[in-house]
Amino acid sequence: MIKVVLIVVLAASIVGFAVKVLARTGKDSEVPTVWDKVIDVSSKISVNPDKAKEYILLGKNDDDIRGEDSVFYNQARNDFGNNFIQWIQEDIEDQMIPCAVFKTVMAGLGYMGHLDWKNIYNIEEFIFSLDKVLSKLSLKKISLEEKQEITTEIQKSKDDQNYIARTNVSKLEEAVEARGYKILWFDEDGDSYAFFIVKPAIFSSLQSVQLDTHHKFRQVQF
């Protein structure tokens, strides 16, 4: 009988301890959702994190986000003007919505540059997109001297498209680094190029982060 009582007491103690541990660590052990990730990343990149978060939560809580009456769509279109890019389509899958909202918000607020695949080879288009983000961060735009240096280097390429792309990327990355920042590339699992301009510490913390199966931060390779 004594052995049975001791076993029962011991079991109860173990269960009680386990409950206390779970109570203390349960919240920390939760796996972050994609919504959690995009809000966290936006807070690190944005000058005004609360504003970015407000827009993202508007998208998260929009039950009609695919429709014409979407509160998020109409608010973003009105507020972002020429920076508005419509990533959310009627047939978008549920798991793709958080990153679509993230891109809409970050591009709309001016923190994310976006290049069509062919514009990575076009120095004018590349600089135009880069300058928009630099201006948002109150950083000096690409100078005529910096542009001329890249143009001179490109003339050595003999129309080698890979050489041109590598030169554009490396030289503009150097120009941004001279301003105390780094270009953080964002892979959308497609043929376009998205990027952010961030402090080196933020770059280090995000450069290998994956938001979902199609969106991650990485180095651009050519």
Side-chain angles (χ1 to χ4, degrees):
M1 178 64 72
I2 294 176
K3 288 183 178 180
V4 172
V5 172
L6 287 175
I7 292 172
V8 171
V9 170
L10 180 60
S13 298
I14 292 172
V15 171
F17 176 76
V19 169
K20 289 180 181 178
V21 170
L22 287 173
R24 290 197 301 268
T25 64
K27 185 175 181 181
D28 294 335
S29 63
E30 290 178 0
V31 177
T33 66
V34 179
W35 285 113
D36 294 331
K37 292 179 183 179
V38 299
I39 290 173
D40 178 61
V41 169
S42 69
S43 71
K44 293 178 179 179
I45 294 174
S46 306
V47 174
N48 187 342
D50 290 339
K51 188 173 185 179
K53 182 178 181 179
E54 182 181 342
Y55 278 112
I56 292 173
L57 290 177
L58 185 66
K60 179 182 179 181
N61 297 322
D62 189 346
D63 294 330
D64 190 32
I65 197 165
R66 296 179 179 85
E68 294 181 359
D69 295 327
S70 164
V71 175
F72 172 78
Y73 166 80
N74 287 293
Q75 187 76 47
R77 184 183 59 181
N78 292 335
D79 291 355
F80 298 155
N82 292 333
N83 284 344
F84 176 72
I85 302 177
Q86 187 173 351
W87 271 288
I88 300 174
Q89 306 294 334
E90 292 182 1
D91 58 349
I92 189 172
E93 297 177 2
D94 288 345
Q95 64 267 27
M96 299 292 287
I97 290 177
C99 281
V101 168
F102 171 76
K103 292 188 290 183
T104 302
V105 172
M106 299 308 282
L109 293 176
Y111 297 115
M112 188 177 86
H114 200 262
L115 295 165
D116 187 71
W117 69 268
K118 60 182 179 294
N119 291 335
I120 204 80
Y121 307 97
N122 185 317
I123 191 60
E124 298 285 349
E125 293 292 340
F126 200 151
I127 289 178
F128 176 77
S129 294
L130 194 65
D131 276 346
K132 288 174 65 176
V133 184
L134 289 170
S135 296
K136 175 66 179 182
L137 300 175
S138 301
L139 297 174
K140 181 183 175 183
K141 293 182 178 181
I142 301 300
S143 67
L144 291 175
E145 291 78 11
E146 289 169 319
K147 177 183 174 182
Q148 184 58 49
E149 179 184 347
I150 299 171
T151 302
T152 300
E153 185 68 26
I154 287 174
Q155 289 173 350
K156 304 175 185 178
S157 69
K158 297 181 180 180
D159 295 326
D160 182 335
Q161 294 300 300
N162 286 334
Y163 181 87
I164 292 172
R166 286 195 302 271
T167 299
N168 286 344
V169 169
S170 63
K171 291 296 184 182
L172 289 175
E173 284 182 336
E174 289 175 8
V176 171
E177 288 172 8
R179 290 157 172 77
Y181 284 71
K182 292 180 75 71
I183 295 180
L184 177 66
W185 294 96
F186 187 53
D187 185 356
E188 304 175 275
D189 195 21
D191 57 3
S192 58
Y193 299 88
F195 63 87
F196 299 89
I197 295 176
V198 298
K199 285 286 192 179
I202 300 300
F203 176 89
S204 297
S205 69
L206 295 179
Q207 63 176 329
S208 59
V209 168
Q210 182 161 337
L211 299 182
D212 64 18
T213 55
H214 299 282
H215 296 86
K216 57 183 176 291
F217 296 98
R218 68 173 182 85
Q219 292 282 60
V220 172
Q221 302 292 333
F222 291 97

